Amino acid sequence: MAFLFFKYRRRRRLVVLVVCSLVIANYIALKLYGYDLTSFKQDEKRFDQSPWQQQDAGLPRAQNTRHENIVGLLQNQSDLEHVESHRTEAELDWDVGALSKNMTTVSIQQNMTSLLNINFRADNLKLGNGIKDHAVKSLELKFVLQQFEAWKIEHFNVISNREVPLKLPPPPHVNNSSIWDKMLTIFPLVFRRLMRPFLTDYKNPCFREDDGSLRCLPYFIEIGAAKCGSTDLYYHITRHPQIVQLYKEPHFWTHMAKSDKSITKYLNTLRKFNKALVTQRDNKSLIFGDASPSYFWDNNRIPRNKNRQLLFVWADVVHAVMPGAKIILILRNPIDRTISDYFYSGRHQSPADLHKNVQVATKLFNACLKQHSYRDCATGTTKYYPRLHISVYIAHVREWLRLYPREQVLIIRTEDWHDHAKNDMLQQIYKFLEIDGLSEAELPDLKEDSVLKEIESKKATEKKSKNLGNVLPETRAYLKGFFEPHNRELADYLGDEGFLWKD
């Protein structure tokens, strides 16, 4: 043994040197950035998969003293009188928008009175439903957010105290108390760390932690879908000078939102926005977004009951924490999305192999739907490819629109994004995000953007290496028959025939 010890001492020295280097690197990363290089594995085992996937698978902290910053000024009564004095549809619509923007977190009763006054005035003027609905919904959302901020201030001591169990009544925008109790029980740290009163002097939702540090949550969330062009869309959107571009696809909710360390890691990835708030002059109007396609469909870490039904979905958690978030969704022809996702997974062997796997996956999914709901069959990860359940868009869209009003959700088709002038669509997106529009001359030269060049280069290489067009006609016909009823349900639900993908 002694002979072997001395014979391999050079190799032993190298091993010791490597280990010491890793320990030092981990210490530096932990101290400077809050990252633990040894904890990239999942925090805990994943929960049970969805039914169709199983068929063939035999310290107390100091109280925050800054919450008073949330309380704003009382609504000026003269604003209400000014609105009441108008006699034209255009003037009323303009004043409703101005009034909703100027409101702050204060007397809910007084603001509700203003809503009733405006609603009554709109009825007297016999406004069109579009103008009236826009006015009322704009104010209703403002009231909901005001009530939520008041709720957070009222229960702040309970939320921030980590020594006692988290027991809270549901906030005003959460209508299902049963789901609220389950979310609190399973993900208590999410609500302890993130459900803080937002500062009113920033457009982006920001808050102060117990130690006084500034933290911010996304103003908008691009929820997918995967292989639909979400990366290209995100990097085009974030060229706007008011939007701070951060790392795409943190997948916080679906992969990380469990432990205290993982929540800190996510907030640390957003520190670039904090830096922009300090360095840029017009910082109050800055916003940023989170673009993670898994938010759209992956509810695999949500527990299920004994009947294999999801207790809730991630959309419920996101909406509970950020009811005012803007949601952006881009959807591609489900046939093309499914095939592209299959090739991207690296499982493609031959066109015949793809056709066989498509048949197996469709039979499994249809068998699941006979016993379970869309929600229970179309969510979670799976070992079966192609992943048809992601492309059953209606199952996932219904969950997000169940919680967020249609005015807060922008849904576009990949085909429209690529076929039409992207600058025109960007203007629509910027209007949706309620930020300044840019003229043709003010828009950045996207063709010269290094990130987008890299994306296009990767796409070209991927297409060439995987021969994406090599698919049997009968495979496309088979998929078309499978997706048609789901597409029809989606088109009827959204009131848009474009989601039949007949073009």
Side-chain angles (χ1 to χ4, degrees), residues 113-171:
T113 301
S114 68
L115 174 61
L116 294 175
N117 290 338
I118 292 174
N119 198 3
F120 175 77
R121 185 79 194 101
D123 285 333
N124 287 345
L125 290 174
K126 298 181 179 181
L127 298 181
N129 290 333
I131 295 178
K132 178 182 174 182
D133 290 346
H134 169 74
V136 173
K137 288 179 180 178
S138 176
L139 287 176
E140 284 178 343
L141 173 61
K142 193 70 177 180
F143 297 146
V144 168
L145 299 182
Q146 288 176 339
Q147 290 177 306
F148 185 33
E149 291 303 313
W151 179 91
K152 287 191 288 186
I153 294 173
E154 179 183 356
H155 300 286
F156 182 80
N157 290 339
V158 179
I159 296 174
S160 60
N161 191 345
R162 302 190 181 194
E163 288 191 325
V164 299
L166 192 60
K167 294 182 180 180
L168 293 169

Side-chain angles (χ1 to χ4, degrees), residues 32 52 132 155 176-177 223 240 253 297 334 368 415 431 439:
L32 295 182
W52 77 280
K132 178 182 174 182
H155 300 286
N176 193 318
S177 59
I223 60 175
H240 194 288
W253 296 106
W297 61 273
C368 177
E415 293 76 12
K431 182 178 180 180
S439 65

Side-chain angles (χ1 to χ4, degrees), residues 221 223 250-254 266 290 292-298 400:
I221 306 176
I223 60 175
H251 298 287
F252 168 69
W253 296 106
T254 48
Y266 174 65
D290 178 344
S292 300
S294 61
Y295 298 166
F296 181 57
W297 61 273
D298 187 0
W400 285 91

